[in-house]
Amino acid sequence: GNSVTQMEGPVTLSEEAFLTINCTYTATGYPSLFWYVQYPGEGLQLLLKATKADDKGSNKGFEATYRKETTSFHLEKGSVQVSDSAVYFCALPLRYGGSQGNLIFGKGTKLSVKP
Amino acid sequence: AAGVIQSPRHLIKEKRETATLKCYPIPRHDTVYWYQQGPGQDPQFLISFYEKMQSDKGSIPDRFSAQQFSDYHSELNMSSLELGDSALYFCASSSGQRGLQANVLTFGAGSRLTVL
């Protein structure tokens, strides 16, 4: 099956700092790639996705580019806010040819943004 | 907009007891997924259903079973509960098995099971 390796945290930043959370994957074929966010006490929410190589997913100021050469999908944001404090998960389908919604998640990166 | 509804939100059980979690997907979503998230862990895929049939199976223990009903809601049944079953159980739904929309999961808020 596929696998994902995500930079582990916790990550603590000051407001307006630049954020990068690294994610690399191993997969058969070219699966869709996702970033999910989990705010304290809540379920996971889709943050952004990319469905093919060189696609850039973006949402709420966050961006990630599907890089097949480096098998990476790093999450970036130019200026973080306190409200961005959450746990971020990189994800992709569990296996090639299986249901596209069965996902494998990275270990999660906890981001804390200080005022 | 309607979201994925899970019940109960919190459940406390003793070891060796049985628990049932329910999930009501977004209207017109035909696929349901169950995930287990232990404390401080990443979500682990348990099982999924498409059009009331099991479509894939992950790391679900034999003590657990699940099904999807004619109204597309799903129930996860857990028997002979162990301390290690204490976790947050998420249900998610999507539309279809293939294609881009199948990738877009909407998660519920989760059911927190505590086994004492």
Side-chain angles (χ1 to χ4, degrees):
Chain A
N2 299 332
S3 66
V4 57
T5 301
Q6 179 180 343
M7 180 180 89
E8 294 189 33
V11 174
T12 302
L13 296 173
S14 298
E15 210 165 21
E16 300 183 1
F18 183 85
L19 168 71
T20 299
I21 301 177
N22 290 339
C23 171
T24 57
Y25 65 91
T26 303
T28 302
Y30 300 104
S32 296
L33 302 174
F34 307 88
W35 278 99
Y36 278 83
V37 59
Q38 186 174 29
Y39 297 102
E42 298 184 13
L44 292 93
Q45 300 175 27
L46 178 64
L47 180 60
L48 54 83
K49 67 182 176 82
T51 57
K52 60 183 187 296
D54 300 324
D55 258 5
K56 177 185 284 188
S58 61
N59 185 28
K60 300 181 180 180
F62 291 89
E63 292 183 340
T65 301
Y66 191 139
R67 304 279 189 205
K68 67 175 184 178
E69 302 84 5
T70 53
T71 61
S72 64
F73 193 55
H74 305 322
L75 182 68
E76 296 182 336
K77 186 173 185 180
S79 176
V80 293
Q81 306 300 312
V82 173
S83 58
D84 294 327
S85 298
V87 181
Y88 294 81
F89 292 94
C90 185
L92 71 160
L94 188 61
R95 43 179 156 263
Y96 178 76
S99 170
Q100 291 290 308
N102 300 346
L103 301 176
I104 182 170
F105 290 87
K107 295 299 181 185
T109 302
K110 184 176 182 179
L111 170 66
S112 297
V113 181
K114 306 299 183 185
Chain B
V4 176
I5 307 297
Q6 290 189 244
S7 68
R9 291 295 310 276
H10 301 274
L11 189 60
I12 299 175
K13 290 286 186 179
E14 301 276 343
K15 278 195 305 185
R16 292 181 288 278
E17 285 191 321
T18 298
T20 298
L21 306 180
K22 297 184 179 183
C23 169
Y24 296 85
I26 287 177
R28 290 182 294 282
H29 277 193
D30 49 20
T31 308
V32 168
Y33 312 82
W34 286 97
Y35 286 83
Q36 177 191 57
Q37 186 179 28
Q41 301 296 311
D42 54 298
Q44 296 289 317
F45 168 67
L46 293 179
I47 195 167
S48 62
F49 292 87
Y50 168 65
E51 284 291 345
K52 293 150 279 184
M53 299 287 289
Q54 180 182 308
S55 58
D56 203 352
K57 201 171 180 179
S59 51
I60 184 169
D62 291 340
R63 300 176 289 107
F64 292 11
S65 65
Q67 58 181 346
Q68 186 179 30
F69 295 85
S70 58
D71 63 351
Y72 294 102
H73 94 273
S74 178
E75 295 184 4
L76 177 66
N77 298 294
M78 299 173 284
S79 62
S80 302
L81 288 170
E82 303 173 356
L83 296 178
D85 296 329
S86 295
L88 202 51
Y89 290 83
F90 288 109
C91 172
S93 72
S94 71
S95 178
Q97 284 278 278
R98 304 285 182 219
L100 297 179
Q101 285 308 308
N103 287 339
V104 181
L105 300 188
T106 302
F107 281 81
S111 293
R112 184 172 295 283
L113 170 67
T114 302
V115 181
L116 301 176

